[in-house]
Amino acid sequence: MKTPHILLIVGGGIAAYKACELIRLIRKAGMTVRCVLTDGGAQFITPMTLAALSENEVFTTLWDLKNETEMGHIQLSREADLIVVCPATADLLAKMAAGISDSLATTVLLATDTPVLAVPAMNVRMWQHAATQRNVAKLRGDGVQVVDPDDGAMACGEYGPGRLPEPVAIMAEIERALGSASSSPPAGGRGEALRGKRVLITAGPTHEPIDPVRYIANRSSGRQGFAIAAAAAEMGAEVHLIAGPVHLATPPGVTRIDVETAREMAAAVDAALPADIAILVAAVADWRTADAADQKIKKTGGALPVLQLAENPDILAGLAGDPRRPALLIGFAAETEHVVAHAQAKLARKRCDWIVANDVSGDVMGGQNNAVHIVTGQGVESWADLPKDQVARKLMEKIADAVR
């Protein structure tokens, strides 16, 4: 088996020091690694350090006469099995999203057709800024895997999302990305089963604001929907994933649209049509506050505030009645009792083709495993408790058989 080769692009930021430990873990896993050190990264660590740890030449400039005589940036962009940008600063993410190539690192990224994994690290306000979030959404839509940063204390003294994940966690993302790329079945097999099909998937919860700091939500982690999106992409489908607010990496080859509320999700579903297959996994909030407060609601010591609720759009039923209805429409039902009976009633009420039902009275929401019942007009098929990625693959195989 070919030894995986990683090209590590080290951006500028105090978190660059963690790249040293990451290199050690990459090599310990039996992979080879070369490094591109940006000008910003060189303010925190030296080329000598990276060269000693990787036992390979470190590249720092686009204007190296020897390397660029041989089109070194093109060679670097082609020879890797995975390009990892770590830390990916706000500046680097912005340039990647805009297609700017004003340095060796950004030119390599623009010239590559290799999978790219970006691991952001920056100040919490920079990460939460609308411009950064737009850039992240654009990159994910372009197929770049962007890992959500950790919450924690930062070198600047502030606290929140923006902290670089620990090297062990980044290494797990690298192995996952390589596994996704290498485990796709060969052409003509299951890897081609959904070639030419457009699949629409919703995943995660929705957040319905009460005021600027509070919201109505549920415990959905989004893991099952993301696993289904990954399995569909591995089988050759064109996958559009509409995700509620979750901290999960976008599966390779998946176009991701991030939303927050049920109404935003409904609009995104409408915009993503037409589709051949729709799998609505998201746990959409049934209700929202009729009038969310513009300012934080304060405790006054008197009467409790009264929340007037309004019903959210029924995305599944709406899609069932849409002239652009997908040929195969699948809904999910999270139940705590009478799971199959409630799912059968939902199948009839929503007028969809299948309902995938599960019992969420335990730790399914947020957990790693799932036991589901596939409810159709022909009957019920019950599956044993399985890891969510195995449930996803099994479901997509059943779907592929159904749409042949």
Side-chain angles (χ1 to χ4, degrees), residues 96 116-118 136 138-146 250-251 254:
M96 290 168 65
V116 177
L117 177 71
V136 169
K138 177 69 167 63
L139 289 169
R140 284 172 170 161
D142 290 344
V144 175
Q145 301 174 64
V146 183
T250 306
V254 170

Side-chain angles (χ1 to χ4, degrees), residues 23 44 50 53 55 63 76 86 93 101 129 159 195 224 239 248 264 270 295 319 327 345 356 366 369:
I23 292 169
F44 297 93
L50 299 181
L53 291 169
E55 296 188 9
W63 312 113
L76 282 171
C86 176
L93 292 174
S101 56
H129 196 282
Y159 186 97
R195 184 72 59 191
Q224 187 64 83
V239 181
L248 295 173
E264 289 172 354
D270 183 74
Q295 303 296 329
L319 194 51
V356 181
N369 286 18

Side-chain angles (χ1 to χ4, degrees), residues 266-291:
V269 167
D270 183 74
L273 294 174
D276 300 293
I277 302 162
I279 311 168
L280 304 191
V281 192
V284 181
D286 293 317
W287 305 283
R288 67 181 185 274
T289 54
D291 294 298

Side-chain angles (χ1 to χ4, degrees), residues 66-136:
K66 175 182 179 298
N67 286 323
E68 287 310 309
T69 299
E70 301 168 0
M71 290 297 174
H73 67 281
I74 300 296
Q75 184 179 348
L76 282 171
S77 75
R78 299 288 193 271
E79 67 183 7
D81 297 295
L82 179 68
I83 297 177
V84 179
V85 186
C86 176
T89 62
D91 179 67
L92 254 179
L93 292 174
K95 288 178 177 178
M96 290 168 65
I100 293 172
S101 56
D102 61 351
S103 66
L104 176 58
T106 53
T107 302
V108 165
L109 288 163
L110 193 62
T112 194
D113 56 2
T114 297
V116 177
L117 177 71
V119 191
M122 64 196 73
N123 170 267
V124 57
R125 298 289 181 264
M126 295 173 72
W127 171 251
Q128 293 175 335
H129 196 282
T132 301
Q133 291 303 305
R134 281 197 303 271
N135 292 333
V136 169

Side-chain angles (χ1 to χ4, degrees), residues 56-68:
N56 270 315
E57 180 183 0
V58 175
F59 302 88
T60 59
T61 179
L62 189 60
W63 312 113
D64 183 294
L65 181 60
K66 175 182 179 298
N67 286 323
E68 287 310 309

Side-chain angles (χ1 to χ4, degrees), residues 122-373:
M122 64 196 73
N123 170 267
V124 57
R125 298 289 181 264
M126 295 173 72
W127 171 251
Q128 293 175 335
H129 196 282
T132 301
Q133 291 303 305
R134 281 197 303 271
N135 292 333
V136 169
K138 177 69 167 63
L139 289 169
R140 284 172 170 161
D142 290 344
V144 175
Q145 301 174 64
V146 183
V147 178
D148 282 316
D150 283 352
D151 284 17
M154 301 180 187
C156 62
E158 295 186 351
Y159 186 97
R163 181 185 176 94
L164 190 78
E166 292 305 312
V168 171
I170 300 170
M171 188 65 219
E173 294 289 348
I174 290 172
E175 290 174 333
R176 188 176 295 113
L178 288 170
S180 297
S182 63
S183 63
S184 297
R190 282 292 187 180
E192 297 293 314
L194 291 173
R195 184 72 59 191
K197 298 295 184 183
R198 182 180 172 97
V199 179
L200 169 62
I201 298 170
T202 65
T206 62
H207 288 179
E208 309 299 329
I210 296 171
D211 61 23
V213 299
R214 303 180 182 93
Y215 54 83
I216 300 169
N218 57 62
R219 295 187 176 93
S220 175
S221 66
R223 288 195 180 104
Q224 187 64 83
F226 274 62
I228 292 169
E234 288 171 7
M235 295 174 72
E238 175 192 342
V239 181
H240 294 260
L241 173 63
I242 299 171
V246 296
H247 296 289
L248 295 173
T250 306
V254 170
T255 299
R256 174 174 176 169
I257 303 96
D258 287 306
V259 299
E260 182 173 356
T261 69
R263 286 180 289 180
E264 289 172 354
M265 185 169 284
V269 167
D270 183 74
L273 294 174
D276 300 293
I277 302 162
I279 311 168
L280 304 191
V281 192
V284 181
D286 293 317
W287 305 283
R288 67 181 185 274
T289 54
D291 294 298
D294 294 331
Q295 303 296 329
K296 180 182 175 183
I297 300 171
K298 296 290 188 180
K299 288 196 296 185
T300 62
L304 295 177
V306 176
L307 297 181
Q308 296 291 335
L309 298 180
E311 193 168 315
N312 271 326
D314 189 325
I315 300 174
L316 180 59
L319 194 51
D322 194 292
R324 300 163 296 169
R325 183 194 197 278
L328 182 59
L329 177 59
I330 301 171
F332 268 60
E335 304 291 348
T336 57
E337 60 178 356
H338 309 303
V339 175
V340 172
H342 285 319
Q344 289 171 326
K346 184 172 184 176
L347 180 74
R349 188 171 66 253
K350 306 289 187 179
R351 295 179 297 142
C352 55
D353 299 303
W354 302 358
I355 291 289
V356 181
N358 60 347
D359 186 340
V360 297
S361 56
D363 63 350
V364 171
M365 280 190 163
Q368 301 295 327
N369 286 18
N370 209 352
V372 304
H373 308 274

